[in-house]
Amino acid sequence: MKKILPLISILLLSACSSQNLRGTGDLGLIIERAIGQVQLVEHTGNTSLATIKGLGDLSHASIVYSRDARYGYVFGRDGGLTKIDVLQQKIVKRVIQSGNSIGGAISQDGKLIAVSNYKPGGVKIFNSDTLELIVNIPAVYADGKQSKTVGLIDAPGQLFVFGLYDASEIWVVDMKNIEKPVITKFKDIGLFPYDGLVTPDGRYYIAGLFGEDGLAMLDLWHLEKGVIRIMDHYGKGKEKLPVYKMPHLEGWAMAGDKMLLPAVGHHEVLVMDKNWKQVKAIAVHGQPIFVMSRPDHRQMWVNFAHPRNDTIQVIDTETLEIIKTLKPGKAVLHMEFSPRGEHVWMSVRDENRVDVIDTETFEVVKSLTADKPSGIFFTNRAHKIGL
Amino acid sequence: MKKILPLISILLLSACSSQNLRGTGDLGLIIERAIGQVQLVEHTGNTSLATIKGLGDLSHASIVYSRDARYGYVFGRDGGLTKIDVLQQKIVKRVIQSGNSIGGAISQDGKLIAVSNYKPGGVKIFNSDTLELIVNIPAVYADGKQSKTVGLIDAPGQLFVFGLYDASEIWVVDMKNIEKPVITKFKDIGLFPYDGLVTPDGRYYIAGLFGEDGLAMLDLWHLEKGVIRIMDHYGKGKEKLPVYKMPHLEGWAMAGDKMLLPAVGHHEVLVMDKNWKQVKAIAVHGQPIFVMSRPDHRQMWVNFAHPRNDTIQVIDTETLEIIKTLKPGKAVLHMEFSPRGEHVWMSVRDENRVDVIDTETFEVVKSLTADKPSGIFFTNRAHKIGL
């Protein structure tokens, strides 16, 4: 015993230390969409740490993080809401909360997880510890029909904001008192809001419209002003070009007083000033999907829709010119910057690869193997508004 | 054995888990300046977790974090550089690297720690893992004299930037190649630069001048443009009012295209537009020290110099009016916002208290006991530029 016990102690302690005792500030999860799993990575050494299986249908999946950056909440297409412990590298809880969901958000205080649903529609809000349902908000409109909900985001003041695709409405839910959610409804905001974003300061909610041109904008600091229309010509336009994929609004990027956004259908990145007027259109390689700002706002990185999705272009935010065109490979679906911007991670789905690229030299510093990778989500998102 | 071993295993594992297995995204360290220790706190439940002793002279101390948010680097006044493991709640390494230091920074990639020294002057750069000295940069100027260095910050591209107090210079050190640091020196930038800041995007470095009015500004995207002078009337002015404490430049706050900064000596917060021109002066309770933006930029929180340091004022960034005056108690030295801004933590030094205040209701949601608390530093700083 005398000899064995200390030995066992050391083994056990070192075991638990080596596996679990680590900071969570440099971790990330990558969606492996085809096989329902996520890959856990770290961006200090740019390595893969683990694979976590059993998450169901992860097409169009997204992830938010708890405020301690320990738990990732994965929103799956099949209505699955899965809570992952990145330290124990396992699923701690999983619920199928609807038939078909399209993303979610975490409240400012970290205590609430909201999920946006297509079937049956509406938004459900869960306790982030237990995943117990706290509030069900059916998106009911004309004669009792339920709408799909889209573009769900969190905002300061314990708000959740989302669009009602079928009802042409935007709803703002104030969850300060979880016993009595206060819902403010904005009607006739435009046909078929299909996605939304909030500016990085959490102030302006902007919804894209599938049914008409222009954008619906709501100032969350002044709900009394109601929803106004901006960028009247934004959208598919009269020519009705083939749109291979509607752009992701979350990708919109601010740089100083400029905002860059992907045109719909056209091979252009649009530049909007702080008065929400278009001041320029930058010709790019294809139909842009994500236009993402490097954390220091000096560069914007753009990926494109099929069939031109093998290419990435980098725009200089001072000159608004393309300074680099990269060909990472087939189907570059998503990008995520390291928190302070020295690297960008890139999912190259059809080549089962994630590349880590130096944003100054544009060299690939590391390639990781991943199964049909799509979304990449680093834990520093835990501290950001509106993701 | 059969029974004892599993029991031991469980005890050991649960011991190490319960103490160490946690995310690091919601942690913070509070300087307890008089007794050379720091208090470890968490802002999910707003509780104190541990006290870590033996850090030497912590007057005017500051902290940066490793990119995994596990290690805090404490810069003490006595030249001590101390690396703290917030998971094991202990000092892992401590070096006395100079006779008197005034702060430091961590490089964009997290691998380098730079420290700014008064005695003997200059800047030393260390390996963030081992705290081994990598580069010593003596701030030598006219006839071999060494200058105090001030306002040391990190910037994108592995840069460190600092001022030479005695030499009226600003130096930019490019550490992309640690074997060959590239130093760019800017001379005659103004008398006695005493502190500096970089804008949140990491682009503009601004130094305050103790010896004359105005500010020295350097565009880090365009070093070729050199240092220019802005805000000519900023400073003590001709009247030479008594200045109880020079303001902290790190506290400067941006909101949209406005920048709010503490006046020197005067009871005013100044508003600067994006062309660096003063557009307004807001009358406040005393000589402002820190003017800090809530993460969503809707409010600015201001503390004041002795003898008026028992008060906090909150400015609405839209109206530029004071919307709240609080009296937390004697000697409010520092504030830190929770990452998404619902709370602000406040050190009330002479009452040995740290208050956690709701930024919407202005109510105190929690008070923690602390010994002469000063700086409060949350781990989400790990992901920010220029802190």
Side-chain angles (χ1 to χ4, degrees):
Chain A
M1 277 297 272
K2 277 207 185 67
K3 283 186 185 164
I4 298 166
L5 272 189
L7 180 62
I8 294 160
S9 321
I10 290 157
L11 289 175
L12 287 168
L13 282 168
S14 61
C16 83
S17 301
S18 60
Q19 194 199 334
N20 298 325
L21 188 62
R22 61 160 297 135
T24 53
D26 62 343
L27 298 178
L29 292 167
I30 300 174
I31 303 290
E32 297 186 323
R33 57 184 287 155
I35 52 175
Q37 66 185 33
V38 294
Q39 187 172 159
L40 177 67
V41 297
E42 57 81 28
H43 57 66
T44 298
N46 302 320
T47 62
S48 177
L49 299 174
T51 294
I52 298 150
K53 304 180 191 301
L55 281 83
D57 179 356
L58 294 184
S59 49
H60 209 283
S62 62
I63 299 177
V64 298
Y65 289 97
S66 61
R67 64 187 288 152
D68 63 359
R70 175 174 179 175
Y71 299 103
Y73 299 89
V74 184
F75 306 101
R77 193 56 184 263
D78 56 4
L81 169 60
T82 310
K83 181 179 182 179
I84 288 174
D85 180 340
V86 296
L87 288 175
Q88 297 196 319
Q89 306 179 348
K90 67 178 189 186
I91 292 171
V92 288
K93 184 96 180 173
R94 172 168 166 82
V95 297
I96 301 296
Q97 56 82 42
S98 82
N100 183 320
S101 68
I102 194 65
I106 184 164
S107 62
Q108 182 178 31
D109 68 1
K111 292 177 180 166
L112 306 172
I113 302 289
V115 191
S116 180
N117 291 320
Y118 275 6
K119 292 178 189 159
V123 166
K124 285 183 176 171
I125 299 177
F126 299 86
N127 175 310
S128 62
D129 285 338
T130 62
L131 299 193
E132 286 169 302
L133 182 66
I134 289 178
V135 191
N136 181 19
I137 301 173
V140 175
Y141 66 110
D143 46 35
K145 275 183 286 182
Q146 269 239 60
S147 175
K148 289 181 193 167
T149 57
V150 297
L152 173 65
I153 58 90
D154 61 273
Q158 280 304 87
L159 300 183
F160 290 115
V161 187
F162 55 92
L164 279 64
Y165 181 83
D166 310 290
S168 303
E169 296 184 11
I170 291 172
W171 289 11
V172 177
V173 180
D174 180 336
M175 290 297 295
K176 281 191 208 74
N177 177 352
I178 64 170
E179 306 298 322
K180 292 185 186 141
V182 178
I183 304 178
T184 309
K185 302 176 180 181
F186 298 89
K187 298 178 189 289
D188 304 318
I189 61 101
L191 271 182
F192 306 128
Y194 75 95
D195 198 2
L197 80 130
V198 69
T199 49
D201 59 6
R203 176 170 182 176
Y204 297 102
Y205 181 79
I206 299 172
L209 302 171
F210 195 78
E212 57 190 280
D213 288 346
L215 297 162
M217 199 263 283
L218 179 62
D219 181 349
L220 297 174
W221 292 9
H222 295 287
L223 294 181
E224 73 282 0
K225 291 182 181 172
V227 172
I228 65 166
R229 189 64 62 92
I230 60 171
M231 296 281 287
D232 287 338
H233 301 297
Y234 184 76
K236 286 172 284 184
K238 294 193 183 53
E239 308 158 40
K240 296 280 179 252
L241 294 163
V243 178
Y244 295 106
K245 179 170 170 44
M246 292 300 281
H248 269 279
L249 300 195
E250 304 82 7
W252 291 14
M254 317 274 295
D257 54 2
K258 296 189 211 85
M259 188 167 183
L260 274 67
L261 52 146
V264 178
H266 300 267
H267 293 193
E268 291 176 344
V269 167
L270 308 180
V271 183
M272 190 162 60
D273 66 13
K274 63 177 180 171
N275 303 314
W276 314 107
K277 302 284 179 220
Q278 181 178 329
V279 292
K280 188 175 165 66
I282 304 166
V284 291
H285 174 77
Q287 295 184 5
I289 298 299
F290 283 105
V291 177
M292 308 191 82
S293 177
R294 197 170 73 170
D296 68 350
H297 306 311
R298 190 171 191 175
Q299 298 173 350
M300 299 286 183
W301 288 60
V302 187
N303 71 336
F304 302 99
H306 175 83
R308 295 181 159 240
N309 60 5
D310 66 337
T311 300
I312 290 289
Q313 289 188 308
V314 183
I315 296 170
D316 178 306
T317 58
E318 268 192 297
T319 62
L320 298 177
E321 284 168 4
I322 292 166
I323 55 169
K324 192 75 182 177
T325 297
L326 301 169
K327 298 273 183 191
K330 288 185 187 157
V332 181
L333 293 197
H334 194 238
M335 294 173 282
E336 178 90 330
F337 289 92
S338 56
R340 289 162 73 189
E342 72 280 14
H343 293 153
V344 61
W345 289 48
M346 206 171 279
S347 285
V348 191
R349 184 194 62 199
D350 295 352
E351 302 190 6
N352 296 307
R353 228 175 60 235
V354 171
D355 288 347
V356 182
I357 295 172
D358 182 308
T359 61
E360 285 299 311
T361 65
F362 303 108
E363 285 163 12
V364 176
V365 296
K366 193 77 177 282
S367 278
L368 303 177
T369 301
D371 189 294
K372 299 274 178 283
S374 56
I376 305 171
F377 303 89
F378 290 151
T379 53
N380 62 301
R381 288 171 172 254
H383 312 304
K384 292 188 177 175
I385 294 165
L387 288 180
Chain B
M1 275 299 271
K2 279 207 183 67
K3 285 183 183 168
I4 297 165
L5 272 189
L7 179 63
I8 294 161
S9 321
I10 289 157
L11 289 174
L12 287 168
L13 282 168
S14 60
C16 86
S17 302
S18 60
Q19 195 200 335
N20 299 326
L21 188 61
R22 62 160 297 138
T24 54
D26 61 343
L27 299 178
L29 291 166
I30 299 173
I31 303 291
E32 298 186 321
R33 54 185 288 154
I35 52 173
Q37 68 185 32
V38 294
Q39 188 172 157
L40 177 67
V41 297
E42 58 81 28
H43 58 65
T44 297
N46 303 320
T47 62
S48 177
L49 299 175
T51 294
I52 298 150
K53 302 179 192 301
L55 281 82
D57 178 358
L58 294 184
S59 48
H60 208 282
S62 63
I63 299 176
V64 298
Y65 289 97
S66 60
R67 67 187 286 150
D68 62 359
R70 175 174 179 177
Y71 299 103
Y73 300 89
V74 184
F75 306 102
R77 193 55 184 266
D78 57 4
L81 168 60
T82 311
K83 182 178 181 179
I84 289 174
D85 180 340
V86 297
L87 287 175
Q88 298 197 351
Q89 305 178 349
K90 67 179 189 184
I91 293 171
V92 286
K93 183 95 180 176
R94 173 169 165 82
V95 296
I96 300 297
Q97 56 83 41
S98 82
N100 183 320
S101 68
I102 194 62
I106 184 164
S107 61
Q108 182 179 32
D109 68 1
K111 292 177 180 167
L112 306 172
I113 301 290
V115 191
S116 180
N117 290 319
Y118 275 7
K119 292 176 189 162
V123 166
K124 285 182 176 171
I125 299 176
F126 299 87
N127 175 309
S128 63
D129 285 338
T130 62
L131 299 194
E132 286 170 298
L133 182 67
I134 289 178
V135 191
N136 181 19
I137 302 173
V140 175
Y141 66 109
D143 45 15
K145 275 182 287 183
Q146 269 240 61
S147 174
K148 289 181 193 164
T149 57
V150 297
L152 172 65
I153 58 91
D154 62 274
Q158 280 305 89
L159 301 184
F160 289 115
V161 187
F162 55 91
L164 280 66
Y165 180 83
D166 309 292
S168 304
E169 296 184 12
I170 291 172
W171 289 11
V172 178
V173 179
D174 180 336
M175 290 297 295
K176 279 190 209 76
N177 177 352
I178 64 170
E179 305 298 320
K180 293 186 186 138
V182 179
I183 304 178
T184 309
K185 302 177 182 182
F186 298 89
K187 298 178 189 290
D188 304 318
I189 61 103
L191 271 181
F192 305 127
Y194 75 96
D195 198 1
L197 81 133
V198 68
T199 49
D201 59 5
R203 177 169 183 178
Y204 297 102
Y205 181 79
I206 299 172
L209 302 171
F210 195 78
E212 59 189 276
D213 287 348
L215 297 162
M217 198 263 283
L218 179 61
D219 180 349
L220 297 174
W221 291 10
H222 295 289
L223 294 181
E224 73 282 359
K225 291 182 180 173
V227 173
I228 64 166
R229 189 65 62 93
I230 60 170
M231 295 282 287
D232 287 338
H233 301 297
Y234 184 78
K236 286 173 282 185
K238 293 192 183 55
E239 308 159 38
K240 296 279 179 254
L241 292 164
V243 178
Y244 295 106
K245 179 169 169 46
M246 293 299 281
H248 269 280
L249 301 195
E250 303 82 9
W252 291 14
M254 317 273 296
D257 54 2
K258 297 190 212 85
M259 187 168 183
L260 274 68
L261 51 146
V264 177
H266 300 267
H267 293 192
E268 290 176 346
V269 167
L270 308 179
V271 183
M272 191 161 60
D273 66 14
K274 65 177 180 170
N275 302 313
W276 314 105
K277 302 282 179 221
Q278 181 178 328
V279 292
K280 188 175 167 66
I282 303 166
V284 291
H285 173 77
Q287 295 184 5
I289 299 298
F290 283 104
V291 177
M292 308 190 83
S293 177
R294 197 171 74 171
D296 68 351
H297 306 311
R298 189 169 192 176
Q299 299 174 350
M300 299 286 183
W301 289 59
V302 187
N303 72 336
F304 302 99
H306 174 85
R308 297 181 157 238
N309 60 4
D310 65 337
T311 300
I312 290 288
Q313 289 187 309
V314 183
I315 297 169
D316 177 305
T317 57
E318 269 192 297
T319 62
L320 298 176
E321 284 167 6
I322 293 166
I323 56 170
K324 193 73 181 177
T325 297
L326 301 169
K327 298 272 181 191
K330 288 185 188 159
V332 182
L333 292 197
H334 193 239
M335 294 173 281
E336 179 89 329
F337 289 92
S338 56
R340 290 162 73 190
E342 72 279 15
H343 293 154
V344 61
W345 289 48
M346 205 172 279
S347 285
V348 192
R349 184 194 60 197
D350 296 352
E351 301 190 4
N352 297 307
R353 225 176 63 236
V354 170
D355 288 347
V356 182
I357 295 172
D358 183 306
T359 60
E360 284 300 310
T361 65
F362 304 108
E363 285 163 11
V364 176
V365 296
K366 193 75 178 283
S367 278
L368 302 178
T369 301
D371 189 295
K372 299 269 177 290
S374 56
I376 305 171
F377 303 90
F378 290 151
T379 53
N380 62 300
R381 288 172 172 253
H383 311 304
K384 292 189 178 175
I385 293 164
L387 288 180

